[in-house]
């Protein structure tokens, strides 16, 4: 595994996320939306956030597991990313987030690749290939499930800046900032896992409120 390739990939992923945000931001700002732009945006997302994580996972598994050809399971991420993007085009969610977004999913695997390709991590993986394989497969299948799940994800939309109504958001941002300052790049997968756990909690809480 060549760490330089993963470093370059992480940089381009970072810029892809920024441009994806700016694209949507300016589109809403100048109130110009059309079907051509919508389809083109999805096509760009499919490359940047559908194919890229699959290629990253493929390279992380290639020649690192005792089972031949199992690395091709990584392309399940591309398939489920395509399903998510197609589903979003049919039923866009403007006020909330349903399922894990493709940029967040890509950011997780991109940051994970930087950690895994460190020298001490590589030596550990070489000794524990079976454990490494099980963990990677679990992350692939979990990623695929979350991409197309109906789970309401934790939203960062601030309707106002009051502490009372945004307490959880502020706490999450403070914890994330602390993790970034202390763990740096290693913090990103932790923050995303933390985000998913919070989302699961709020989704379950919402279902309980609906039943009662």
């Amino acid at each position: 595994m060549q760490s330089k390739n993963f470093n370059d990939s992480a940089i381009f992923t970072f810029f892809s996320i920024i441009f994806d945000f700016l694209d949507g931001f300016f589109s809403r700002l100048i109130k110009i939306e059309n079907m051509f732009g919508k389809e083109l945006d999805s096509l760009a997302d499919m490359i940047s956030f559908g194919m890229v994580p699959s290629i990253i996972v493929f390279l992380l598994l290639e020649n690192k597991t005792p089972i031949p050809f199992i690395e091709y399971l990584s392309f399940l991420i591309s398939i489920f990313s395509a399903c998510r993007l197609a589903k979003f085009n049919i039923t866009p969610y403007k006020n909330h987030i349903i399922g894990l977004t493709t940029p967040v999913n890509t950011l997780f695997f991109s940051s994970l690749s930087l950690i895994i390709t460190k020298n001490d991590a590589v030596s550990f993986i070489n000794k524990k290939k079976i454990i490494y394989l099980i963990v990677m497969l679990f992350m692939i299948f979990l990623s695929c499930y979350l991409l197309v799940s109906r789970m309401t994800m934790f939203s960062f939309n601030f309707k106002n800046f009051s502490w009372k109504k945004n307490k959880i958001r502020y706490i999450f941002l403070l914890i994330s900032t602390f993790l970034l300052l202390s763990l740096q790049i290693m913090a990103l997968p932790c923050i995303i896992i933390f985000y998913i756990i919070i989302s699961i909690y709020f989704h379950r809480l919402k279902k309980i409120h609906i039943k009662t």
Side-chain angles (χ1 to χ4, degrees):
M1 290 185 284
Q2 297 180 6
S3 59
K4 186 181 182 300
N5 293 338
F6 289 113
N7 289 338
D8 293 341
S9 172
I11 291 168
F12 285 114
T13 295
F14 177 71
F15 280 111
S16 296
I17 291 171
I18 291 174
F19 289 132
D20 182 59
F21 169 78
L22 291 176
D23 170 50
F25 175 78
F26 284 113
S27 176
R28 289 187 295 270
L29 185 67
I30 60 180
K31 297 180 180 178
I32 295 179
E33 293 184 23
N34 56 61
M35 289 304 296
F36 177 79
K38 187 177 180 181
E39 297 301 326
L40 188 61
D41 181 68
S42 288
L43 181 60
D45 284 352
M46 183 56 209
I47 300 300
S48 300
F49 309 126
M51 285 301 298
V52 169
S54 286
I55 293 170
I56 287 171
V57 176
F58 178 88
L59 293 174
L60 289 175
L61 285 172
E62 191 179 30
N63 302 322
K64 285 289 175 184
T65 64
I67 304 173
F69 306 115
I70 201 164
E71 59 266 25
Y72 287 94
L73 284 174
S74 62
F75 290 98
L76 285 172
I77 299 170
S78 294
I79 295 169
F80 279 81
S81 295
C83 291
R84 176 186 172 77
L85 292 167
K87 206 161 107 177
F88 181 81
N89 279 353
I90 298 169
T91 54
Y93 307 107
K94 294 184 178 179
N95 298 320
H96 51 276
I97 303 169
I98 300 293
L100 188 67
T101 64
T102 51
V104 172
N105 189 54
T106 305
L107 183 62
F108 174 79
F109 285 111
S110 184
S111 58
L112 190 68
S113 69
L114 299 179
I115 297 168
I116 288 174
T117 50
K118 287 188 174 183
N119 291 330
D120 51 346
V122 171
S123 60
F124 174 80
I125 290 165
N126 289 332
K127 294 175 184 176
K128 306 288 183 179
K129 287 186 177 182
I130 294 294
I131 296 173
Y132 176 69
L133 175 61
I134 292 169
V135 171
M136 290 300 294
L137 289 178
F138 173 77
M139 287 191 288
I140 289 170
F141 292 127
L142 181 62
S143 163
C144 292
Y145 166 74
L146 290 173
L147 283 167
V148 296
S149 73
R150 295 289 304 168
M151 184 172 67
T152 304
M153 303 299 286
F154 179 62
S155 174
F156 291 98
N157 292 330
F158 286 80
K159 293 182 179 178
N160 56 63
F161 295 101
S162 70
W163 168 261
K164 187 177 180 180
K165 292 185 177 180
N166 298 289
K167 181 168 65 174
I168 301 299
R169 292 182 180 88
Y170 283 127
I171 291 171
F172 178 84
L173 290 173
L174 284 171
I175 292 173
S176 298
T177 303
F178 172 76
L179 288 172
L180 280 170
L181 291 173
S182 56
L183 300 177
Q184 298 177 350
I185 193 65
M186 291 184 68
L188 286 176
C190 299
I191 291 169
I192 293 169
I193 291 168
F194 183 38
Y195 168 73
I196 292 168
I197 291 169
I198 289 177
S199 297
I200 293 170
Y201 170 75
F202 275 99
H203 180 70
R204 288 178 63 84
L205 199 64
K206 186 179 178 181
K207 286 177 73 175
I208 291 168
H209 283 317
I210 291 170
K211 287 178 182 179
T212 55

